[in-house]
CSV table of all heavy atoms in Angstrom, one decimal:
chain,number,residue,atom,x,y,z
A,1,LYS,N,-13.5,-15.1,-11.2
A,1,LYS,CA,-12.5,-14.1,-11.2
A,1,LYS,C,-13.0,-12.8,-10.8
A,1,LYS,O,-14.1,-12.5,-11.1
A,1,LYS,CB,-11.9,-14.0,-12.6
A,1,LYS,CG,-11.1,-15.2,-13.1
A,1,LYS,CD,-10.5,-14.9,-14.4
A,1,LYS,CE,-9.6,-16.0,-14.8
A,1,LYS,NZ,-10.0,-16.7,-16.1
A,2,LEU,N,-12.1,-12.0,-10.2
A,2,LEU,CA,-12.4,-10.6,-9.9
A,2,LEU,C,-11.3,-9.8,-10.6
A,2,LEU,O,-10.1,-10.1,-10.4
A,2,LEU,CB,-12.3,-10.4,-8.4
A,2,LEU,CG,-12.5,-8.9,-7.9
A,2,LEU,CD1,-13.9,-8.4,-8.3
A,2,LEU,CD2,-12.3,-8.8,-6.4
A,3,ARG,N,-11.7,-8.8,-11.4
A,3,ARG,CA,-10.8,-8.0,-12.1
A,3,ARG,C,-11.1,-6.5,-11.9
A,3,ARG,O,-12.3,-6.2,-11.6
A,3,ARG,CB,-10.9,-8.2,-13.7
A,3,ARG,CG,-10.6,-9.6,-14.1
A,3,ARG,CD,-10.6,-9.6,-15.6
A,3,ARG,NE,-10.5,-11.0,-16.1
A,3,ARG,CZ,-11.6,-11.8,-16.4
A,3,ARG,NH1,-12.8,-11.2,-16.3
A,3,ARG,NH2,-11.5,-13.0,-16.8
A,4,VAL,N,-10.1,-5.7,-12.0
A,4,VAL,CA,-10.3,-4.2,-11.8
A,4,VAL,C,-9.8,-3.6,-13.1
A,4,VAL,O,-8.6,-3.9,-13.6
A,4,VAL,CB,-9.6,-3.7,-10.6
A,4,VAL,CG1,-9.9,-2.2,-10.5
A,4,VAL,CG2,-10.1,-4.4,-9.4
A,5,PHE,N,-10.6,-2.7,-13.7
A,5,PHE,CA,-10.2,-2.0,-14.9
A,5,PHE,C,-10.2,-0.5,-14.6
A,5,PHE,O,-11.1,0.0,-13.9
A,5,PHE,CB,-11.2,-2.2,-16.1
A,5,PHE,CG,-11.2,-3.6,-16.6
A,5,PHE,CD1,-12.0,-4.6,-16.0
A,5,PHE,CD2,-10.5,-4.0,-17.7
A,5,PHE,CE1,-12.0,-5.9,-16.5
A,5,PHE,CE2,-10.5,-5.3,-18.2
A,5,PHE,CZ,-11.3,-6.3,-17.6
A,6,LEU,N,-9.3,0.2,-15.3
A,6,LEU,CA,-9.4,1.7,-15.2
A,6,LEU,C,-9.9,2.2,-16.5
A,6,LEU,O,-9.6,1.6,-17.6
A,6,LEU,CB,-7.9,2.3,-15.0
A,6,LEU,CG,-7.3,1.9,-13.7
A,6,LEU,CD1,-5.9,2.5,-13.6
A,6,LEU,CD2,-8.1,2.3,-12.5
A,7,ALA,N,-10.7,3.3,-16.5
A,7,ALA,CA,-11.5,3.7,-17.6
A,7,ALA,C,-10.6,4.0,-18.8
A,7,ALA,O,-10.9,3.7,-19.9
A,7,ALA,CB,-12.3,4.9,-17.3
A,8,ASN,N,-9.4,4.6,-18.6
A,8,ASN,CA,-8.5,4.9,-19.7
A,8,ASN,C,-7.6,3.8,-20.2
A,8,ASN,O,-6.9,4.0,-21.1
A,8,ASN,CB,-7.7,6.2,-19.4
A,8,ASN,CG,-6.9,6.0,-18.1
A,8,ASN,OD1,-7.0,4.9,-17.5
A,8,ASN,ND2,-6.0,6.9,-17.8
A,9,LYS,N,-7.8,2.6,-19.6
A,9,LYS,CA,-7.0,1.4,-20.1
A,9,LYS,C,-8.0,0.3,-20.1
A,9,LYS,O,-7.9,-0.7,-19.5
A,9,LYS,CB,-5.9,1.0,-19.0
A,9,LYS,CG,-4.9,2.2,-18.8
A,9,LYS,CD,-3.8,1.7,-17.8
A,9,LYS,CE,-2.8,2.7,-17.6
A,9,LYS,NZ,-3.2,4.0,-17.1
A,10,LYS,N,-9.0,0.5,-20.9
A,10,LYS,CA,-10.2,-0.5,-21.0
A,10,LYS,C,-9.8,-1.9,-21.3
A,10,LYS,O,-10.4,-2.8,-20.9
A,10,LYS,CB,-11.2,0.0,-22.0
A,10,LYS,CG,-12.2,1.0,-21.4
A,10,LYS,CD,-13.4,1.1,-22.3
A,10,LYS,CE,-14.4,2.0,-21.7
A,10,LYS,NZ,-14.0,3.4,-21.5
A,11,THR,N,-8.8,-2.1,-22.1
A,11,THR,CA,-8.6,-3.4,-22.7
A,11,THR,C,-8.1,-4.4,-21.7
A,11,THR,O,-8.5,-5.6,-21.7
A,11,THR,CB,-7.6,-3.3,-23.9
A,11,THR,OG1,-6.4,-2.6,-23.4
A,11,THR,CG2,-8.2,-2.6,-25.1
A,12,ALA,N,-7.1,-4.1,-20.9
A,12,ALA,CA,-6.5,-5.1,-20.0
A,12,ALA,C,-6.8,-4.7,-18.5
A,12,ALA,O,-6.8,-3.5,-18.2
A,12,ALA,CB,-5.0,-5.1,-20.2
A,13,PRO,N,-7.1,-5.6,-17.7
A,13,PRO,CA,-7.3,-5.3,-16.3
A,13,PRO,C,-6.0,-4.9,-15.6
A,13,PRO,O,-4.9,-5.3,-16.0
A,13,PRO,CB,-7.8,-6.7,-15.6
A,13,PRO,CG,-7.4,-7.7,-16.6
A,13,PRO,CD,-7.2,-7.1,-17.9
A,14,VAL,N,-6.1,-3.9,-14.7
A,14,VAL,CA,-4.9,-3.5,-13.9
A,14,VAL,C,-4.7,-4.4,-12.7
A,14,VAL,O,-3.6,-4.3,-12.0
A,14,VAL,CB,-5.0,-2.0,-13.5
A,14,VAL,CG1,-5.0,-1.1,-14.7
A,14,VAL,CG2,-6.3,-1.8,-12.7
A,15,TRP,N,-5.7,-5.2,-12.4
A,15,TRP,CA,-5.6,-6.1,-11.2
A,15,TRP,C,-6.5,-7.3,-11.5
A,15,TRP,O,-7.6,-7.1,-12.0
A,15,TRP,CB,-6.0,-5.3,-10.0
A,15,TRP,CG,-5.9,-6.0,-8.7
A,15,TRP,CD1,-4.8,-5.9,-7.8
A,15,TRP,CD2,-6.8,-6.9,-8.1
A,15,TRP,NE1,-5.0,-6.7,-6.7
A,15,TRP,CE2,-6.3,-7.3,-6.9
A,15,TRP,CE3,-8.1,-7.4,-8.4
A,15,TRP,CZ2,-6.9,-8.2,-6.0
A,15,TRP,CZ3,-8.7,-8.2,-7.6
A,15,TRP,CH2,-8.2,-8.6,-6.3
A,16,GLU,N,-6.1,-8.5,-11.1
A,16,GLU,CA,-6.9,-9.7,-11.2
A,16,GLU,C,-6.6,-10.7,-10.2
A,16,GLU,O,-5.5,-10.9,-9.9
A,16,GLU,CB,-6.7,-10.2,-12.7
A,16,GLU,CG,-7.5,-11.4,-13.0
A,16,GLU,CD,-7.4,-11.9,-14.5
A,16,GLU,OE1,-6.8,-11.2,-15.3
A,16,GLU,OE2,-7.9,-13.0,-14.8
A,17,GLU,N,-7.6,-11.4,-9.8
A,17,GLU,CA,-7.4,-12.5,-8.8
A,17,GLU,C,-8.5,-13.6,-9.2
A,17,GLU,O,-9.6,-13.3,-9.4
A,17,GLU,CB,-7.7,-12.0,-7.4
A,17,GLU,CG,-7.4,-13.0,-6.3
A,17,GLU,CD,-5.9,-13.3,-6.1
A,17,GLU,OE1,-5.1,-12.4,-5.9
A,17,GLU,OE2,-5.6,-14.5,-6.4
A,18,ASN,N,-8.0,-14.9,-9.2
A,18,ASN,CA,-8.9,-15.9,-9.7
A,18,ASN,C,-9.1,-17.0,-8.7
A,18,ASN,O,-9.9,-17.9,-9.0
A,18,ASN,CB,-8.5,-16.4,-11.0
A,18,ASN,CG,-7.2,-17.1,-11.0
A,18,ASN,OD1,-6.6,-17.3,-9.9
A,18,ASN,ND2,-6.7,-17.5,-12.1
A,19,LYS,N,-8.5,-17.0,-7.5
A,19,LYS,CA,-9.0,-17.9,-6.5
A,19,LYS,C,-8.6,-17.6,-5.1
A,19,LYS,O,-7.6,-16.9,-4.9
A,19,LYS,CB,-8.5,-19.3,-6.8
A,19,LYS,CG,-7.0,-19.6,-6.8
A,19,LYS,CD,-6.8,-21.1,-6.9
A,19,LYS,CE,-5.4,-21.6,-7.1
A,19,LYS,NZ,-4.8,-21.2,-8.4
A,20,GLY,N,-9.4,-17.8,-4.2
A,20,GLY,CA,-9.2,-17.5,-2.8
A,20,GLY,C,-8.5,-18.7,-2.2
A,20,GLY,O,-8.8,-19.9,-2.5
A,21,LYS,N,-7.5,-18.4,-1.3
A,21,LYS,CA,-6.8,-19.5,-0.6
A,21,LYS,C,-7.7,-20.0,0.5
A,21,LYS,O,-7.6,-21.1,1.0
A,21,LYS,CB,-5.5,-19.0,0.0
A,21,LYS,CG,-4.5,-18.5,-1.1
A,21,LYS,CD,-3.3,-17.8,-0.4
A,21,LYS,CE,-2.5,-16.9,-1.3
A,21,LYS,NZ,-3.4,-15.9,-2.0
A,22,ASP,N,-8.6,-19.1,1.0
A,22,ASP,CA,-9.5,-19.4,2.1
A,22,ASP,C,-10.7,-18.4,2.0
A,22,ASP,O,-10.8,-17.7,1.0
A,22,ASP,CB,-8.8,-19.3,3.4
A,22,ASP,CG,-8.0,-18.0,3.5
A,22,ASP,OD1,-8.5,-17.0,3.1
A,22,ASP,OD2,-6.9,-18.0,4.1
A,23,GLU,N,-11.5,-18.3,3.0
A,23,GLU,CA,-12.6,-17.4,3.0
A,23,GLU,C,-12.3,-16.0,3.5
A,23,GLU,O,-13.1,-15.2,3.6
A,23,GLU,CB,-13.7,-18.0,3.9
A,23,GLU,CG,-14.0,-19.5,3.7
A,23,GLU,CD,-15.2,-19.6,2.7
A,23,GLU,OE1,-16.2,-19.0,2.8
A,23,GLU,OE2,-15.0,-20.4,1.7
A,24,LYS,N,-11.0,-15.8,3.8
A,24,LYS,CA,-10.6,-14.5,4.4
A,24,LYS,C,-10.6,-13.3,3.4
A,24,LYS,O,-10.5,-13.5,2.3
A,24,LYS,CB,-9.2,-14.6,4.9
A,24,LYS,CG,-9.0,-15.4,6.1
A,24,LYS,CD,-7.6,-15.1,6.8
A,24,LYS,CE,-7.4,-15.9,8.0
A,24,LYS,NZ,-6.7,-17.2,7.8
A,25,TRP,N,-10.9,-12.2,4.0
A,25,TRP,CA,-10.8,-10.9,3.3
A,25,TRP,C,-9.3,-10.6,3.1
A,25,TRP,O,-8.5,-10.7,4.0
A,25,TRP,CB,-11.5,-9.8,4.0
A,25,TRP,CG,-13.0,-9.9,3.9
A,25,TRP,CD1,-13.8,-10.7,4.8
A,25,TRP,CD2,-13.9,-9.4,2.9
A,25,TRP,NE1,-15.1,-10.5,4.4
A,25,TRP,CE2,-15.2,-9.8,3.2
A,25,TRP,CE3,-13.6,-8.6,1.8
A,25,TRP,CZ2,-16.2,-9.4,2.5
A,25,TRP,CZ3,-14.7,-8.3,1.0
A,25,TRP,CH2,-16.0,-8.6,1.3
A,26,ARG,N,-9.0,-10.0,1.9
A,26,ARG,CA,-7.6,-9.6,1.7
A,26,ARG,C,-7.7,-8.1,1.1
A,26,ARG,O,-8.7,-7.6,0.9
A,26,ARG,CB,-7.0,-10.5,0.5
A,26,ARG,CG,-7.1,-11.9,0.8
A,26,ARG,CD,-5.8,-12.6,0.4
A,26,ARG,NE,-5.9,-14.0,0.8
A,26,ARG,CZ,-5.7,-14.6,2.0
A,26,ARG,NH1,-5.5,-13.8,3.0
A,26,ARG,NH2,-5.8,-15.8,2.2
A,27,THR,N,-6.5,-7.5,1.0
A,27,THR,CA,-6.4,-6.1,0.6
A,27,THR,C,-5.8,-6.0,-0.8
A,27,THR,O,-4.8,-6.7,-1.0
A,27,THR,CB,-5.6,-5.3,1.6
A,27,THR,OG1,-6.2,-5.4,2.9
A,27,THR,CG2,-5.6,-3.8,1.2
A,28,GLY,N,-6.4,-5.3,-1.6
A,28,GLY,CA,-5.9,-5.1,-3.0
A,28,GLY,C,-5.5,-3.6,-3.1
A,28,GLY,O,-6.1,-2.7,-2.4
A,29,LYS,N,-4.5,-3.3,-3.9
A,29,LYS,CA,-4.1,-1.9,-4.0
A,29,LYS,C,-3.7,-1.7,-5.5
A,29,LYS,O,-3.1,-2.5,-6.1
A,29,LYS,CB,-2.8,-1.6,-3.3
A,29,LYS,CG,-2.9,-1.6,-1.8
A,29,LYS,CD,-1.6,-1.3,-1.2
A,29,LYS,CE,-1.6,-1.6,0.3
A,29,LYS,NZ,-0.2,-1.6,0.9
A,30,ILE,N,-4.2,-0.5,-6.0
A,30,ILE,CA,-3.9,-0.2,-7.4
A,30,ILE,C,-3.4,1.3,-7.5
A,30,ILE,O,-4.1,2.2,-6.9
A,30,ILE,CB,-5.2,-0.3,-8.2
A,30,ILE,CG1,-5.7,-1.8,-8.2
A,30,ILE,CG2,-5.0,0.2,-9.7
A,30,ILE,CD1,-7.1,-2.0,-8.7
A,31,GLU,N,-2.3,1.5,-8.1
A,31,GLU,CA,-1.8,2.8,-8.4
A,31,GLU,C,-2.6,3.4,-9.6
A,31,GLU,O,-2.7,2.7,-10.6
A,31,GLU,CB,-0.3,2.8,-8.7
A,31,GLU,CG,0.5,2.1,-7.7
A,31,GLU,CD,1.2,3.0,-6.7
A,31,GLU,OE1,1.3,4.2,-7.0
A,31,GLU,OE2,1.5,2.6,-5.6
A,32,ILE,N,-3.0,4.6,-9.4
A,32,ILE,CA,-3.7,5.4,-10.5
A,32,ILE,C,-2.8,6.6,-10.8
A,32,ILE,O,-2.7,7.5,-10.0
A,32,ILE,CB,-5.1,5.7,-10.1
A,32,ILE,CG1,-6.0,4.5,-9.8
A,32,ILE,CG2,-5.8,6.5,-11.3
A,32,ILE,CD1,-7.4,4.8,-9.3
A,33,PHE,N,-2.2,6.6,-11.9
A,33,PHE,CA,-1.4,7.7,-12.4
A,33,PHE,C,-2.2,8.6,-13.3
A,33,PHE,O,-2.6,8.0,-14.4
A,33,PHE,CB,-0.1,7.3,-13.0
A,33,PHE,CG,0.8,6.5,-12.1
A,33,PHE,CD1,0.9,5.1,-12.2
A,33,PHE,CD2,1.5,7.1,-11.1
A,33,PHE,CE1,1.8,4.4,-11.4
A,33,PHE,CE2,2.3,6.4,-10.2
A,33,PHE,CZ,2.5,5.0,-10.4
A,34,GLN,N,-2.5,9.8,-12.9
A,34,GLN,CA,-3.2,10.6,-13.9
A,34,GLN,C,-2.3,11.3,-14.8
A,34,GLN,O,-1.3,12.0,-14.4
A,34,GLN,CB,-3.9,11.7,-13.1
A,34,GLN,CG,-5.0,11.2,-12.1
A,34,GLN,CD,-6.1,10.6,-12.8
A,34,GLN,OE1,-6.0,9.6,-13.5
A,34,GLN,NE2,-7.3,11.1,-12.6
A,35,GLY,N,-2.4,11.0,-16.1
A,35,GLY,CA,-1.6,11.8,-17.1
A,35,GLY,C,-2.4,13.0,-17.5
A,35,GLY,O,-3.2,13.5,-16.8
A,36,ALA,N,-2.2,13.4,-18.8
A,36,ALA,CA,-3.0,14.5,-19.3
A,36,ALA,C,-4.5,14.1,-19.3
A,36,ALA,O,-5.4,14.9,-19.0
A,36,ALA,CB,-2.5,14.9,-20.7
A,37,GLU,N,-4.7,12.8,-19.6
A,37,GLU,CA,-6.1,12.3,-19.7
A,37,GLU,C,-6.3,11.6,-18.3
A,37,GLU,O,-5.6,10.8,-17.9
A,37,GLU,CB,-6.1,11.4,-20.9
A,37,GLU,CG,-7.0,10.2,-20.7
A,37,GLU,CD,-6.8,9.2,-21.9
A,37,GLU,OE1,-6.0,9.4,-22.8
A,37,GLU,OE2,-7.5,8.2,-21.9
A,38,THR,N,-7.3,12.1,-17.6
A,38,THR,CA,-7.6,11.5,-16.3
A,38,THR,C,-8.5,10.3,-16.3
A,38,THR,O,-9.3,10.1,-17.2
A,38,THR,CB,-8.2,12.6,-15.3
A,38,THR,OG1,-9.4,13.0,-15.9
A,38,THR,CG2,-7.3,13.8,-15.2
A,39,THR,N,-8.3,9.4,-15.3
A,39,THR,CA,-9.1,8.3,-15.1
A,39,THR,C,-10.4,8.7,-14.6
A,39,THR,O,-10.4,9.3,-13.5
A,39,THR,CB,-8.4,7.3,-14.2
A,39,THR,OG1,-7.2,6.9,-14.7
A,39,THR,CG2,-9.3,6.0,-14.0
A,40,ASN,N,-11.6,8.4,-15.2
A,40,ASN,CA,-12.8,8.9,-14.6
A,40,ASN,C,-13.7,7.8,-14.0
A,40,ASN,O,-14.7,8.1,-13.5
A,40,ASN,CB,-13.6,9.7,-15.7
A,40,ASN,CG,-13.9,8.9,-16.9
A,40,ASN,OD1,-13.7,7.7,-16.9
A,40,ASN,ND2,-14.5,9.5,-17.9
A,41,SER,N,-13.1,6.6,-14.1
A,41,SER,CA,-13.9,5.5,-13.4
A,41,SER,C,-13.0,4.3,-13.2
A,41,SER,O,-12.0,4.1,-13.9
A,41,SER,CB,-15.1,5.1,-14.2
A,41,SER,OG,-14.8,4.4,-15.4
A,42,VAL,N,-13.4,3.5,-12.2
A,42,VAL,CA,-12.8,2.2,-11.9
A,42,VAL,C,-13.9,1.2,-11.9
A,42,VAL,O,-14.9,1.4,-11.4
A,42,VAL,CB,-12.2,2.2,-10.5
A,42,VAL,CG1,-11.6,0.8,-10.1
A,42,VAL,CG2,-11.0,3.3,-10.4
A,43,THR,N,-13.7,0.1,-12.6
A,43,THR,CA,-14.7,-1.0,-12.7
A,43,THR,C,-14.2,-2.3,-12.1
A,43,THR,O,-13.2,-2.8,-12.4
A,43,THR,CB,-15.0,-1.3,-14.2
A,43,THR,OG1,-15.5,-0.1,-14.8
A,43,THR,CG2,-16.1,-2.3,-14.3
A,44,PHE,N,-15.1,-2.8,-11.1
A,44,PHE,CA,-14.9,-4.1,-10.6
A,44,PHE,C,-15.7,-5.1,-11.3
A,44,PHE,O,-16.9,-5.0,-11.4
A,44,PHE,CB,-15.3,-4.1,-9.1
A,44,PHE,CG,-14.4,-3.3,-8.2
A,44,PHE,CD1,-14.5,-1.9,-8.0
A,44,PHE,CD2,-13.3,-3.9,-7.5
A,44,PHE,CE1,-13.6,-1.2,-7.2
A,44,PHE,CE2,-12.4,-3.2,-6.7
A,44,PHE,CZ,-12.6,-1.8,-6.5
């Protein structure tokens, strides 16, 4: 699996993919909304 976490939402991934349909590269997109507390890291 590949997951993406935002620092201020540590518990649950904001994005996850667990199998490729083929060997191709795909594009992932994640919206990051900065509230009063800002996101200071993204973890793959």
Side-chain angles (χ1 to χ4, degrees):
K1 292 187 173 114
L2 176 62
R3 297 186 192 94
V4 181
F5 293 87
L6 298 179
N8 56 354
K9 300 182 178 56
K10 273 196 177 59
T11 50
V14 291
W15 186 94
E16 181 171 350
E17 188 64 62
N18 64 6
K19 64 171 171 290
K21 298 170 199 59
D22 50 39
E23 310 269 310
K24 287 197 179 90
W25 285 90
R26 308 225 177 279
T27 301
K29 292 182 194 169
I30 297 166
E31 305 263 338
I32 301 176
F33 297 105
Q34 298 291 61
E37 145 189 4
T38 60
T39 299
N40 60 7
S41 72
V42 174
T43 301
F44 288 86

